[in-house]
Amino acid sequence: MKTRQAWTVQGKANLILDNLIAEKKAIPMIIVIENGYASKPTTTPPQSSNTPGRGAGGNSAFEEIMIKEIIPE
């Protein structure tokens, strides 16, 4: 399943973190999960033989989003 719900439905990230917080093994936090399929509108993502859109150099848009939009200053 590769949808926006994958981290909660398959990965159960919400339940795992809730349990860790309840056990005092983690502190309450906000988790931001980027879907990782970013590409610049004027470019075609490079293709790799094993993973579409994730070839060499194919992460520049993802890195830009992570640094400029997701990671707080």
Side-chain angles (χ1 to χ4, degrees):
M1 172 192 295
K2 290 188 178 185
T3 67
R4 292 180 183 199
Q5 294 85 18
W7 284 103
T8 53
V9 174
Q10 286 179 285
K12 306 206 183 304
N14 56 329
L15 300 176
I16 292 168
L17 191 57
D18 284 346
N19 289 332
L20 290 171
I21 291 170
E23 295 170 6
K24 307 280 191 236
K25 293 180 179 178
I27 59 172
M29 64 186 78
I30 295 171
I31 297 177
V32 177
I33 301 172
E34 202 337 273
N35 64 13
Y37 293 107
S39 61
K40 294 184 180 186
T42 58
T43 62
T44 303
Q47 297 295 314
S48 159
S49 60
N50 57 1
T51 309
R54 287 311 192 102
N59 294 330
S60 65
F62 178 73
E63 291 169 3
E64 186 175 320
I65 289 171
M66 285 295 292
I67 293 168
K68 292 182 179 178
E69 298 179 19
I70 295 176
I71 298 173
E73 293 184 28

